[in-house]
Amino acid sequence: MYFNKRVLVTGGAGFLGSHLCERLLAEGQDVLCVDNLYTGSKHHIAHLLSDHNFEFMRHDITFPMYVEVDEIYNLACPASPVHYQNDPVATTKVNVHGAINMLGLAKRRRAKILQASTSEVYGDPDVHPQPESYVGSVNPIGPRSCYDEGKRCAETLFFDYWRQHRLQIKIARIFNTYGPRMHPNDGRVVSNFIVQALNDQPITIYGDGSQTRSFAYVDDLIEGLVRLMKTDDAVTGPINLGNPGEFTILELAKKIIEITGSTSKIVHHPLPIDDPRKRKPDISLARDILKWQPAVDLDAGLEKTIAYFETLFSEK
């Protein structure tokens, strides 16, 4: 007899987590969504609550969990500077204590576990684009360190559990991702610009706008996570998941103004401390191992994301 896997998604009511829960349910899995709702929202998963294969649990993973699961996607952590700098101690705790608790659960259950790491482990990179072999250039005591170093420590823990306990681990280094269900006030560049443009407010660019980012649409990112989880035990990662298309922040602002038809003007503010100058993934490993690459280009993804925010604002 075939039994569905029971899959735990921490941070499952967040932007990425809610999309992942949807995808796993569509594949017929039993999904346990865990979130403390610090940045996640019940609205993101409200449409899933009637699915008999879906269960929601409000819980903070800095405290241990005792549940029966076969796979774990560990996505729990505030991901925008506005949110992770609001309580930097809690951010470090969810990255470190949260990883320890989830790894302990995976060890007890002999479950496969995937860590949602980040391109921020590369810091302000001296190598461009960034391959997984690059060890990064990170400030350990700056205002972003709670997130950057927290994620780096989580990767360390994952590999120590792999070496010491032969745990089945997967690490995805996620680059800038955007799409429906982004928080309108999360401070991330895509949501910031869209909200400002739709309200005809000045679009705020930090620095001269020449710094670059690479933007992956959420559906592409979720596809990469699922493919990574399905690889055999020999594949641990880390594997970069992101869109190698590189745009300056100024180019992004102009695209959003054009698509929205906004009258917004661009204004410039000082660059934040430790803000990376360049960010672009080398996705050679993802292409080779996962047979994955992004399918949604920036214009198409922005149109879908802008439509989501237009609907969100019209409902208020």
Side-chain angles (χ1 to χ4, degrees):
M1 179 180 285
Y2 173 76
F3 292 96
N4 293 349
K5 288 192 294 252
R6 190 161 196 240
V7 184
L8 167 61
V9 180
T10 72
F15 164 48
L16 292 182
S18 60
H19 286 277
L20 178 59
C21 288
E22 278 182 338
R23 170 63 184 271
L24 295 172
L25 288 168
E27 292 189 352
Q29 308 300 344
D30 284 330
V31 175
L32 172 59
C33 168
V34 169
D35 205 299
N36 69 352
L37 301 180
Y38 176 61
T39 58
S41 171
K42 286 184 180 178
H43 294 295
H44 293 161
I45 55 169
H47 62 296
L48 305 178
L49 295 174
S50 60
D51 191 318
H52 68 278
N53 286 331
F54 181 78
E55 180 183 353
F56 172 69
M57 178 189 298
R58 186 165 183 171
H59 180 81
D60 184 338
I61 66 162
T62 61
F63 299 94
M65 283 186 68
Y66 301 94
V67 292
E68 304 300 307
V69 293
D70 305 300
E71 290 182 351
I72 303 167
Y73 288 84
N74 187 34
L75 274 61
C77 183
S80 75
V82 166
H83 291 141
Y84 68 63
Q85 291 177 7
N86 183 56
D87 190 342
V89 173
T91 299
T92 302
K93 280 183 176 180
V94 75
N95 280 316
V96 179
H97 293 182
I100 290 169
N101 288 330
M102 290 305 101
L103 287 162
L105 174 60
K107 181 186 171 188
R108 287 192 296 274
R109 292 291 307 149
R110 302 313 302 173
K112 190 187 296 187
I113 182 168
L114 183 147
Q115 167 68 5
S117 191
T118 173
S119 61
E120 298 303 324
V121 300
Y122 298 122
D124 189 4
D126 299 317
V127 174
H128 192 72
Q130 293 82 57
E132 292 85 350
S133 58
Y134 176 55
V135 296
S137 174
V138 178
N139 177 3
I141 59 170
R144 302 169 65 101
S145 304
C146 57
Y147 185 73
D148 304 358
E149 293 286 35
K151 290 289 191 180
R152 285 165 68 95
C153 185
E155 288 195 15
T156 300
L157 286 162
F158 267 67
F159 271 91
D160 285 340
Y161 268 77
W162 173 71
R163 282 184 285 259
Q164 190 170 336
H165 302 296
R166 306 313 302 168
L167 214 57
Q168 296 173 271
I169 67 163
K170 312 287 177 185
I171 294 178
R173 288 180 177 164
I174 298 171
F175 283 68
N176 289 58
T177 305
Y178 69 100
R181 298 188 202 137
M182 293 185 81
H183 195 292
N185 300 315
D186 69 1
R188 284 188 270 196
V189 65
V190 173
S191 50
N192 261 11
F193 287 0
I194 290 174
V195 169
Q196 290 169 340
L198 289 177
N199 289 290
D200 292 317
Q201 297 170 342
I203 288 187
T204 306
I205 289 182
Y206 295 96
D208 62 7
S210 63
Q211 65 270 40
T212 67
R213 296 293 184 270
S214 304
F215 303 100
Y217 188 65
V218 61
D219 291 354
D220 285 333
L221 191 280
I222 297 303
E223 176 68 26
L225 291 178
V226 170
R227 289 193 186 198
L228 178 55
M229 182 63 97
K230 290 179 178 177
T231 55
D232 62 39
D233 294 355
V235 178
T236 60
I239 290 184
N240 290 335
L241 294 178
N243 193 320
E246 186 178 15
F247 296 88
T248 68
I249 297 302
L250 187 58
E251 286 175 321
L252 176 69
K254 289 178 177 178
K255 272 183 180 292
I256 289 173
I257 290 172
E258 181 183 353
I259 294 171
T260 58
S262 176
T263 60
S264 294
K265 305 298 181 185
I266 293 172
V267 296
H268 294 267
H269 289 270
L271 201 63
I273 296 171
D274 296 330
D275 193 58
R277 296 158 296 170
K278 291 181 178 291
R279 182 70 83 230
K280 175 182 177 180
D282 180 336
I283 62 167
S284 302
L285 279 181
R287 285 194 178 109
D288 293 344
I289 296 172
L290 308 181
K291 310 304 178 191
W292 175 90
Q293 64 181 17
V296 181
D297 66 30
L298 183 59
D299 285 39
L302 285 176
E303 287 177 1
K304 293 178 181 181
T305 309
I306 289 166
Y308 164 77
F309 278 102
E310 287 174 332
T311 301
L312 187 69
F313 293 148
S314 70
E315 292 173 350
K316 290 184 176 180

